[in-house]
Amino acid sequence: MANRISLKINGEAITLYVKPHWTLLRLIREELKLTGTKEGCGEGECGSCTVLLDDKPINSCLVLAMDADGGAVTTIEGLADGEELHLLQTAFVEKGAIQCGFCTPGMILTAKGLLDRQPSPSEGEIRLEIAGNLCRCTGYAKIIEAIQTAAQQLKGGAGD
Amino acid sequence: MKQFQYHQPETVQDVCLLLSKYEKEVNILAGGTDLIVQMKKGSLAPKHVINIKKVGGLDFIREDEKGYTLGTLATMAGLAAHPGLQQTLPIIASSAKSIGSPQIRNIATLGGNLCNASPSADMSPSLLVLEATVRVAGLQGSRTLPLADFFVEPGTVDLADGEMLVEVSVPFPAESTKMIYHKLGPRKAMDCAVVSVAVAISLHELTGECKKARIALGAVAPTPVRLKEAEKLIEGKVVKGIPLTQIAEAVRQGITPITDVRGSKEYRYQTAVTLTIRTINTLMNLSSRLNYG
C-alpha cells in the first residue's frame, strides 16, 4: 500500500507515492534518481547518507520516506547554484579534501549544517560536528582545513 | 526491512488505542535511531508501526518553579543545546550530547532512549540521580512513577499494552548541587558507554560536608542502577573523610556487569570503582562557585 507525500527537494515542491517501509535514502536515490547521496552502512553509523532535512543534518537511511512529508530536503545536488559550486564544494576541491569522494556529499552537507548555525567554529567544534561522517581515505586533516577555509570565506562575504 | 502497516495518529489517545488494538505486534516510531536499525537487522519485525511524531506537543522542554518537564519527543540535539538545562541541570544536556553523532541527535528522542532500555542508555543514569519521574498515558488515563521503577530488564520498560511514555519530570535539586555524567569508552563519539557514572552531590557551603549524594551507573547491570549504599557512605562526610575502601566495596556489590564485545566483566568492575570514586572526589573538591556538567 502506498501513501502520498509532498515535500520540497532542493527547493522544488514535489508530490509522490511512497511505501511505508521505504527510507528517505531510498526515496532520494531510487525514486528521485539523485545518486549523490550514498549508502555506506545503512544503519546511521557512517554518515554517507547525510542530507539536510529542514536544514538539519540527518541520516537518511534511518528516516522513513513518510517522515519527509511536509519537509524540505537538501541533497548535495542542491548545493551548487547552476554551474557555480558552493564555497564548501570549492574549498573541498582546492584543499585536497576529496580522495575517493564517497564520504564527500555527506561530509559537505554536515559542514553546511554546521556553518549555517555556527559561522565561526573552532577546530574542536568542527571535529565534533563531523563525528558522524566517516572517511576511510583522507585522515580528515584536509576535510577540516576545507571547512575552516569555507567558514572564513563565507564570513568574508565572498558570496554564497 | 519487512513491510508493515503504518499509522500516524494525531493524539495520545489514538496512539494508545492503536497500541492496545495491536498488542504485541506493534512498535512506536519516534526518532527511529534504534527501531529502524533493529527492523533492518530483522531483530524486530512489527506488523504495525505507529509514528508518534504527528502527535502535537510531545517535544517540549518546559521549565517551571519546581523543575523541568521534558516531552518524550524532545530530541537529543534539543536537550544538548538548551541553555536553561545547561545552566541548571547540566548533566541532562551533557548526557544528550554524548549520544551518537549530530545526525543521530537531530532525530533521536528522550522517550526512545529510555524505552529502548539498553543497559548503557545515556540519559538514564543522569535522570536517575536527579530523581526523575515519568508520566505514562494509557486508555484509562495516565500514571506517574519514579524513573527508577520504569526499567524492568534490557529492552523492557514498565509499559503495559496500550501505554506510552509522554513526559519525564525532573525536580530542581538543592541549589548547591554539583553534578557530572561520565561516559567511559574507547571513542569520543558514536559509541555506547562501556561504563557510565552519574553523580549529583550537594555540599554544605562552608564546611564542604556532603548533604546529599546520588550515584547511578550504566552499562554494568541489566538496568541502570542507583548505588544507595555508596550514597550513604558519603552523606555527612567531608572529602577527607570519605571511606574509599568501603565505597569501592559498595560499588562492587551494587553492580552485576557482564563480559561482552565492549569489555570484560573484570574491566567493568575495575573501572566502575575507579570512575565512581574519581567522580565523587572531583565533585567534593569543587568550590561552590564552580559549575560542572
Side-chain angles (χ1 to χ4, degrees), chain B residues 62-136:
Chain B
R62 203 163 55 213
E63 182 185 353
D64 63 30
E65 68 283 350
K66 293 205 215 115
Y68 269 88
T69 312
L70 314 169
T72 188
L73 288 179
T75 62
M76 295 302 130
L79 293 171
H82 195 273
L85 283 175
Q86 289 172 351
Q87 183 69 20
T88 50
L89 297 171
I91 49 175
I92 294 184
S94 63
S95 301
K97 184 135 195 224
S98 76
I99 291 173
S101 64
Q103 294 94 316
I104 296 281
R105 294 195 288 275
N106 279 331
I107 57 177
T109 65
L110 175 61
N113 192 245
L114 296 177
C115 296
N116 185 58
S118 161
S120 60
D122 287 296
M123 298 308 299
S124 311
S126 294
L127 289 169
L128 282 176
V129 301
L130 291 172
E131 297 178 296
T133 56
V134 299
R135 191 163 72 80
V136 167

Side-chain angles (χ1 to χ4, degrees), chain B residues 27 31 78 81 88 94 101 108 124 127 135 193 199 207 221 224 256 266 269 274:
Chain B
N27 279 107
T88 50
S94 63
S101 64
S124 311
L127 289 169
R135 191 163 72 80
V199 181
T207 65
T256 51
E266 294 71 28
Y269 269 118
T274 305

Side-chain angles (χ1 to χ4, degrees), chain B residues 14-52:
Chain B
D14 284 339
V15 174
C16 295
L17 280 166
L18 289 166
L19 285 171
S20 171
K21 181 173 174 185
Y22 298 120
E23 283 188 315
K24 311 271 179 252
E25 300 189 317
V26 61
N27 279 107
I28 285 180
L29 170 65
T33 56
D34 281 318
L35 180 70
I36 302 294
V37 175
Q38 289 170 59
M39 286 176 71
K40 283 184 168 190
K41 286 198 174 130
S43 48
L44 278 179
K47 295 211 178 89
H48 299 269
V49 169
I50 304 174
N51 182 352
I52 60 171

Side-chain angles (χ1 to χ4, degrees), chain A residues 57-93:
Chain A
I58 53 106
N59 295 122
S60 60
C61 70
L62 292 186
V63 171
L64 292 183
M66 293 290 300
D67 262 327
D69 185 27
V73 174
T74 307
T75 69
I76 190 66
E77 290 88 350
L79 226 53
D81 179 8
E83 289 296 310
E84 202 178 311
L85 293 180
H86 189 277
L87 279 174
L88 268 168
Q89 293 171 301
T90 317
F92 266 63
V93 170

Side-chain angles (χ1 to χ4, degrees), chain B residues 176-191:
Chain B
S176 54
T177 305
K178 306 294 176 233
M179 51 187 85
I180 293 181
Y181 174 63
H182 196 129
K183 175 176 180 170
L184 183 75
R187 296 189 196 87
K188 292 176 195 159
M190 291 302 278
D191 210 359

